[in-house]
Amino acid sequence: MTWHILGAGSLGSLWAARLASAGRPVRLILRDRARISAYEEAGGLTLVEQGRAQQHAIPAELPSGSGPISRLLLACKAYDAEAAVQPLLQRLAPGAELILLQNGLGSQDAVAKRLPHARCVLASSTEGAFREADFRVVFAGHGFTWLGDPLQPAAPAWLEELDQAGIPHGWTPDILSRLWRKLALNCAINPLTVLHDCRNGGLAEHPAEVGVLCAELAELLERCGQPDAAEGLHDEVLRVIHATAANYSSMYQDVAHGRRTEISYLLGHACATAARHRLSLPHLQGLHERLKAHLQQRGLPVT
Ligand code: NAP
């Protein structure tokens, strides 16, 4: 079965190159004719791994292309996900399966609502990749991708294809817990690195601020039925700050490069969920306001 991959960005290219190398049929879906022309001019997709570049001539098509889609990897940013699936609705075959690679929470529900007849498999990935140039992606860090479907605990048969393609992954019946935990780690670290203009390790100088955020995030996770995601959160945040001390967080890098952040699907989602549960989390809400003001000052979207 063909893997349709929407978004030839960092993670989409990483998956596309590995699946194609393993001999699986892959087709990229690019946003418009201009992107298709740029892709053809580049001669395909280049993945750089350990300094070695390899080009993959994977066919690309428009969202409005012909032919049914039975398996779709949605590899765009969270804020693009819902609009990106819209032009594909007519092409989805009965029983189509989607793998949603978006970070944070909120976009997955928005996509699933548009596709009541498709199966949506959610992913939470710690793999690292970045775009060095258009259609040229560098594999930056080994990681792992958790996959799961909150509505259907049985693992799909195509996981075997990920094994063959060397994509490290695991199937979990509790993907929402993993996504919430990652969201909480992100909320405790990333916005503060932006506001304090520091690497992750710089947060070791702000222990009280980190501590109070972790306490509020744990309260939120408990309240919204994710007690496992709350357990040991503060300790893990401190471990991550220490272990990744020299790194700049993804949100820091987005802001530094003038790119839109996924704030609405991380801190924004946490605050909206707290409000829905009538939970007052003043430090988390204060952080959200400060971050939005910071983004606005830099002319970046606050959603
Ligand atoms: P990215 O490099 O910005 O790539 C996103 C791609 O989606 C771009 O190529 C973009 O096209 C494409 N796209 C957006 N809307 C589209 C549309 N309507 N039709 C077709 N293509 C469309 O993003 P990424 O870093 O791979 O991130 C994807 C998700 O994975 C995010 O939620 C991110 O947080 C998560 N994630 C990323 C990493 C990482 O290391 N990169 C790690 C873990 C999780 P254009 O090229 O035309 O702009």
Side-chain angles (χ1 to χ4, degrees):
M1 191 181 287
T2 299
W3 284 82
H4 281 91
I5 298 185
L6 182 137
S10 311
L11 282 196
S13 299
L14 188 59
W15 279 58
R18 292 186 295 195
L19 287 162
S21 296
R24 313 309 315 182
V26 178
R27 295 185 73 81
L28 298 171
I29 299 177
L30 306 183
R31 55 170 92 231
D32 52 28
R33 284 195 194 287
R35 295 302 283 151
I36 298 261
S37 302
Y39 178 72
E40 282 165 0
E41 219 162 277
L45 206 62
T46 300
L47 180 66
V48 183
E49 244 177 305
Q50 292 172 333
R52 274 207 323 272
Q54 199 175 350
Q55 199 171 49
H56 304 264
I58 298 169
E61 63 189 37
L62 289 169
S64 59
S66 58
I69 296 174
S70 297
R71 189 180 297 148
L72 175 69
L73 180 72
L74 193 65
C76 57
K77 289 280 173 59
Y79 48 74
D80 282 326
E82 191 181 356
V85 293
Q86 184 63 32
L88 303 177
L89 298 183
Q90 300 300 320
R91 296 180 61 189
L92 291 180
E97 292 181 286
L98 279 81
I99 300 114
L100 309 182
L101 273 185
Q102 288 63 46
N103 202 6
L105 281 161
S107 69
Q108 300 89 341
D109 272 353
V111 168
K113 277 205 187 93
R114 291 199 173 259
L115 312 165
H117 303 301
R119 183 183 193 188
C120 288
V121 169
L122 316 190
S124 177
S125 182
T126 57
E127 291 213 277
F130 64 90
R131 287 205 257 189
E132 194 176 54
D134 237 7
F135 305 114
R136 187 179 171 95
V137 166
V138 178
F139 182 30
H142 289 277
F144 194 82
T145 302
W146 283 107
L147 298 160
D149 175 354
L151 302 178
Q152 223 178 300
W158 47 257
L159 293 187
E160 214 176 286
E161 298 184 23
L162 303 189
D163 282 331
Q164 289 156 6
I167 297 173
H169 70 278
W171 182 260
T172 169
D174 211 356
I175 188 69
L176 286 178
S177 174
R178 303 226 172 238
L179 283 162
W180 267 113
R181 177 65 163 218
K182 193 165 181 238
L183 182 149
L185 288 166
N186 186 299
C187 289
I189 296 173
N190 295 18
L192 286 181
T193 63
V194 172
L195 295 171
H196 289 299
D197 189 15
C198 66
R199 296 173 198 260
N200 291 356
L203 298 187
E205 286 164 33
H206 304 276
E209 212 176 0
V210 170
V212 79
L213 284 174
C214 288
E216 288 192 356
L217 284 161
E219 204 183 332
L220 172 64
L221 294 171
E222 297 271 0
R223 180 70 74 93
C224 61
Q226 299 292 341
D228 291 351
E231 208 174 301
L233 178 65
H234 190 201
D235 286 345
E236 192 179 352
V237 166
L238 297 180
R239 269 201 306 279
V240 170
I241 288 173
H242 183 70
T244 63
N247 296 359
Y248 285 110
S249 73
S250 53
M251 189 177 272
Y252 182 100
Q253 293 181 45
D254 282 342
V255 175
H257 289 105
R259 292 190 299 246
R260 182 174 176 182
T261 68
E262 294 182 299
I263 175 176
S264 288
Y265 304 88
L266 298 160
L267 193 49
H269 185 80
C271 289
T273 307
R276 225 177 30 249
H277 286 276
R278 301 186 194 287
L279 190 59
S280 163
L281 301 175
H283 294 90
L284 203 65
Q285 276 139 9
L287 182 70
H288 191 206
E289 293 311 318
R290 279 157 65 204
L291 183 63
K292 285 195 289 188
H294 185 93
L295 296 175
Q296 202 156 28
Q297 264 173 19
R298 276 151 191 78
L300 291 172
V302 298
T303 58

